[in-house]
Amino acid sequence: MVPVEYKMAARIARELRAAGRPKTARELAYVALSLASLPGVNLEKAVEPVLDGRFSREGGGIGLWEWHYDFARPGDPLVVLDLETTGLSPSDNEIIEIALMRVEGSRVDRLSRFVNPGVAIPPFITSLTGISDADVRDAPDVYQVLEELIPYLDGATLVIQNAPFDLGFLRPRIRRLGVKIQNEVIDTVQWARRALPRMRRRGLDYLIGAFEVSIDARARHRALGDVEAAWAVAREMYYILTAGEPRRPAEV
C-alpha cells in the first residue's frame, strides 16, 4: 500500500514537468490533485503537506529542483544495472540476462544481453521473466558478456535495486576474469528507507507505484525494463534526499 501523500506528490511532480514552469499551490490543487474550490477550504494548505525535497519555491510558485541541477553530471557517470537469473543463489544459480544504462550528463549508453546459463531455465523463471531456453540457447556465456560489460563500469557509481543480490552474482564471476568491482554503489532500497520512510515495502514494483512511473508491464522482470524503472525511481529519490543542495549521488 502506497501512502496517499506519496501518490499526491507524484502527481504534482508530473504536472510541473508537463507544464515546464512553476505553478501556484492553488493551480496544483486544481489540476494535479483534482481539488475543487470549496468555501472555507484553503487549497494551499492542502498542497503544502505533501511537498517533499523535489519541490522548490520559485517566486510565488512551486517548481522542481531538477530544473536547476542534474542527477548524472558530466565527469560523474552513473551505471544502472540489473540481472535476471535462474534463481536466488549466486553459488547454485546462473545469470540469464544482463542489462545496464550508463548516464553521464546528456549521454546515455545502453547494453542488454541474453546469457547462456549452461542449464535449463526453471519454468517459474520463464513464467516470471518471459525468458525461455530458446532465447538463451545461442547466447554467449556469462564471461563473454562480462568482458563486454566491464568497460561500461569504468569510473562510474553503480545504481542497483537490491544491490547485494546482483553483486552477489557479479562479483565472483568478474573476479574470475581478473577484475574486482570497486565502484561506489547506490542501493535504491536503502535510499527508499530514507526518501519514503512510510513505505513498508521497498521492492521495485512498490517504488514504481509510489512515484507512478510509467512502464510497460511486459518490461518488468526483464533486465533492461528494470534498469529503466530503477533509473526513474532513483532519480526521484535523489532530489527528495538532496532537497536543493546538489551533491554527488554516491555521497547522498
Side-chain angles (χ1 to χ4, degrees), residues 104-117:
E104 184 175 4
S106 61
R107 177 171 177 170
V108 180
D109 296 298
R110 293 175 175 83
L111 175 74
S112 180
R113 296 287 183 270
F114 282 131
V115 178
N116 188 328

PDB file of all heavy atoms in Angstrom, residues 104-117:
ATOM      1  N   GLU A 104      25.883   9.896 -18.286  1.00  0.00           N
ATOM      2  CA  GLU A 104      26.841  10.932 -17.901  1.00  0.00           C
ATOM      3  C   GLU A 104      26.441  12.212 -18.605  1.00  0.00           C
ATOM      4  O   GLU A 104      26.585  12.323 -19.822  1.00  0.00           O
ATOM      5  CB  GLU A 104      28.263  10.533 -18.259  1.00  0.00           C
ATOM      6  CG  GLU A 104      29.303  11.551 -17.792  1.00  0.00           C
ATOM      7  CD  GLU A 104      30.739  11.096 -18.039  1.00  0.00           C
ATOM      8  OE1 GLU A 104      30.922  10.022 -18.653  1.00  0.00           O
ATOM      9  OE2 GLU A 104      31.654  11.806 -17.620  1.00  0.00           O
ATOM     10  N   GLY A 105      25.907  13.171 -17.837  1.00  0.00           N
ATOM     11  CA  GLY A 105      25.370  14.363 -18.461  1.00  0.00           C
ATOM     12  C   GLY A 105      24.234  13.978 -19.390  1.00  0.00           C
ATOM     13  O   GLY A 105      23.309  13.258 -19.006  1.00  0.00           O
ATOM     14  N   SER A 106      24.293  14.436 -20.617  1.00  0.00           N
ATOM     15  CA  SER A 106      23.232  14.127 -21.581  1.00  0.00           C
ATOM     16  C   SER A 106      23.490  12.840 -22.358  1.00  0.00           C
ATOM     17  O   SER A 106      22.654  12.409 -23.155  1.00  0.00           O
ATOM     18  CB  SER A 106      23.074  15.290 -22.571  1.00  0.00           C
ATOM     19  OG  SER A 106      24.281  15.483 -23.292  1.00  0.00           O
ATOM     20  N   ARG A 107      24.643  12.209 -22.134  1.00  0.00           N
ATOM     21  CA  ARG A 107      24.969  10.992 -22.873  1.00  0.00           C
ATOM     22  C   ARG A 107      24.417   9.755 -22.153  1.00  0.00           C
ATOM     23  O   ARG A 107      24.615   9.580 -20.951  1.00  0.00           O
ATOM     24  CB  ARG A 107      26.485  10.848 -23.045  1.00  0.00           C
ATOM     25  CG  ARG A 107      26.875   9.555 -23.735  1.00  0.00           C
ATOM     26  CD  ARG A 107      28.328   9.497 -24.112  1.00  0.00           C
ATOM     27  NE  ARG A 107      28.659   8.207 -24.706  1.00  0.00           N
ATOM     28  CZ  ARG A 107      29.799   7.924 -25.306  1.00  0.00           C
ATOM     29  NH1 ARG A 107      30.742   8.843 -25.408  1.00  0.00           N
ATOM     30  NH2 ARG A 107      30.014   6.718 -25.818  1.00  0.00           N
ATOM     31  N   VAL A 108      23.736   8.914 -22.903  1.00  0.00           N
ATOM     32  CA  VAL A 108      23.169   7.677 -22.367  1.00  0.00           C
ATOM     33  C   VAL A 108      23.579   6.517 -23.270  1.00  0.00           C
ATOM     34  O   VAL A 108      23.346   6.550 -24.477  1.00  0.00           O
ATOM     35  CB  VAL A 108      21.630   7.748 -22.285  1.00  0.00           C
ATOM     36  CG1 VAL A 108      21.071   6.440 -21.724  1.00  0.00           C
ATOM     37  CG2 VAL A 108      21.191   8.933 -21.438  1.00  0.00           C
ATOM     38  N   ASP A 109      24.217   5.499 -22.675  1.00  0.00           N
ATOM     39  CA  ASP A 109      24.577   4.278 -23.405  1.00  0.00           C
ATOM     40  C   ASP A 109      23.902   3.093 -22.729  1.00  0.00           C
ATOM     41  O   ASP A 109      23.888   2.993 -21.496  1.00  0.00           O
ATOM     42  CB  ASP A 109      26.094   4.071 -23.394  1.00  0.00           C
ATOM     43  CG  ASP A 109      26.830   5.179 -24.131  1.00  0.00           C
ATOM     44  OD1 ASP A 109      26.603   5.334 -25.334  1.00  0.00           O
ATOM     45  OD2 ASP A 109      27.624   5.893 -23.484  1.00  0.00           O
ATOM     46  N   ARG A 110      23.361   2.191 -23.552  1.00  0.00           N
ATOM     47  CA  ARG A 110      22.674   1.021 -23.012  1.00  0.00           C
ATOM     48  C   ARG A 110      23.321  -0.257 -23.525  1.00  0.00           C
ATOM     49  O   ARG A 110      23.829  -0.302 -24.646  1.00  0.00           O
ATOM     50  CB  ARG A 110      21.195   1.041 -23.394  1.00  0.00           C
ATOM     51  CG  ARG A 110      20.392   2.161 -22.738  1.00  0.00           C
ATOM     52  CD  ARG A 110      18.958   2.182 -23.265  1.00  0.00           C
ATOM     53  NE  ARG A 110      18.132   3.172 -22.584  1.00  0.00           N
ATOM     54  CZ  ARG A 110      18.096   4.458 -22.907  1.00  0.00           C
ATOM     55  NH1 ARG A 110      18.836   4.910 -23.915  1.00  0.00           N
ATOM     56  NH2 ARG A 110      17.324   5.295 -22.235  1.00  0.00           N
ATOM     57  N   LEU A 111      23.251  -1.281 -22.691  1.00  0.00           N
ATOM     58  CA  LEU A 111      23.708  -2.618 -23.075  1.00  0.00           C
ATOM     59  C   LEU A 111      22.707  -3.620 -22.534  1.00  0.00           C
ATOM     60  O   LEU A 111      22.316  -3.551 -21.358  1.00  0.00           O
ATOM     61  CB  LEU A 111      25.098  -2.899 -22.483  1.00  0.00           C
ATOM     62  CG  LEU A 111      25.651  -4.315 -22.714  1.00  0.00           C
ATOM     63  CD1 LEU A 111      26.083  -4.467 -24.168  1.00  0.00           C
ATOM     64  CD2 LEU A 111      26.824  -4.591 -21.775  1.00  0.00           C
ATOM     65  N   SER A 112      22.274  -4.552 -23.370  1.00  0.00           N
ATOM     66  CA  SER A 112      21.355  -5.599 -22.934  1.00  0.00           C
ATOM     67  C   SER A 112      21.722  -6.883 -23.652  1.00  0.00           C
ATOM     68  O   SER A 112      21.778  -6.897 -24.887  1.00  0.00           O
ATOM     69  CB  SER A 112      19.904  -5.203 -23.245  1.00  0.00           C
ATOM     70  OG  SER A 112      19.010  -6.217 -22.822  1.00  0.00           O
ATOM     71  N   ARG A 113      21.984  -7.936 -22.881  1.00  0.00           N
ATOM     72  CA  ARG A 113      22.416  -9.205 -23.473  1.00  0.00           C
ATOM     73  C   ARG A 113      21.769 -10.384 -22.758  1.00  0.00           C
ATOM     74  O   ARG A 113      21.707 -10.442 -21.534  1.00  0.00           O
ATOM     75  CB  ARG A 113      23.939  -9.359 -23.353  1.00  0.00           C
ATOM     76  CG  ARG A 113      24.750  -8.325 -24.119  1.00  0.00           C
ATOM     77  CD  ARG A 113      24.700  -8.576 -25.617  1.00  0.00           C
ATOM     78  NE  ARG A 113      25.535  -7.617 -26.334  1.00  0.00           N
ATOM     79  CZ  ARG A 113      25.126  -6.436 -26.803  1.00  0.00           C
ATOM     80  NH1 ARG A 113      23.861  -6.072 -26.628  1.00  0.00           N
ATOM     81  NH2 ARG A 113      25.961  -5.638 -27.447  1.00  0.00           N
ATOM     82  N   PHE A 114      21.318 -11.357 -23.559  1.00  0.00           N
ATOM     83  CA  PHE A 114      20.997 -12.667 -23.001  1.00  0.00           C
ATOM     84  C   PHE A 114      22.308 -13.375 -22.657  1.00  0.00           C
ATOM     85  O   PHE A 114      23.352 -13.113 -23.271  1.00  0.00           O
ATOM     86  CB  PHE A 114      20.237 -13.513 -24.017  1.00  0.00           C
ATOM     87  CG  PHE A 114      18.779 -13.172 -24.150  1.00  0.00           C
ATOM     88  CD1 PHE A 114      18.215 -12.965 -25.402  1.00  0.00           C
ATOM     89  CD2 PHE A 114      17.962 -13.093 -23.032  1.00  0.00           C
ATOM     90  CE1 PHE A 114      16.866 -12.668 -25.544  1.00  0.00           C
ATOM     91  CE2 PHE A 114      16.607 -12.802 -23.158  1.00  0.00           C
ATOM     92  CZ  PHE A 114      16.065 -12.583 -24.419  1.00  0.00           C
ATOM     93  N   VAL A 115      22.229 -14.290 -21.701  1.00  0.00           N
ATOM     94  CA  VAL A 115      23.385 -15.085 -21.287  1.00  0.00           C
ATOM     95  C   VAL A 115      22.979 -16.552 -21.298  1.00  0.00           C
ATOM     96  O   VAL A 115      21.929 -16.921 -20.751  1.00  0.00           O
ATOM     97  CB  VAL A 115      23.851 -14.693 -19.869  1.00  0.00           C
ATOM     98  CG1 VAL A 115      25.024 -15.569 -19.419  1.00  0.00           C
ATOM     99  CG2 VAL A 115      24.220 -13.210 -19.807  1.00  0.00           C
ATOM    100  N   ASN A 116      23.796 -17.379 -21.920  1.00  0.00           N
ATOM    101  CA  ASN A 116      23.546 -18.821 -21.885  1.00  0.00           C
ATOM    102  C   ASN A 116      24.010 -19.361 -20.540  1.00  0.00           C
ATOM    103  O   ASN A 116      25.202 -19.347 -20.240  1.00  0.00           O
ATOM    104  CB  ASN A 116      24.312 -19.512 -23.019  1.00  0.00           C
ATOM    105  CG  ASN A 116      23.934 -20.968 -23.155  1.00  0.00           C
ATOM    106  OD1 ASN A 116      23.604 -21.629 -22.170  1.00  0.00           O
ATOM    107  ND2 ASN A 116      23.984 -21.491 -24.368  1.00  0.00           N
ATOM    108  N   PRO A 117      23.081 -19.846 -19.701  1.00  0.00           N
ATOM    109  CA  PRO A 117      23.474 -20.275 -18.363  1.00  0.00           C
ATOM    110  C   PRO A 117      24.084 -21.674 -18.309  1.00  0.00           C
ATOM    111  O   PRO A 117      24.609 -22.095 -17.273  1.00  0.00           O
ATOM    112  CB  PRO A 117      22.155 -20.240 -17.592  1.00  0.00           C
ATOM    113  CG  PRO A 117      21.129 -20.576 -18.631  1.00  0.00           C
ATOM    114  CD  PRO A 117      21.628 -19.941 -19.912  1.00  0.00           C
TER     115      PRO A 117
END
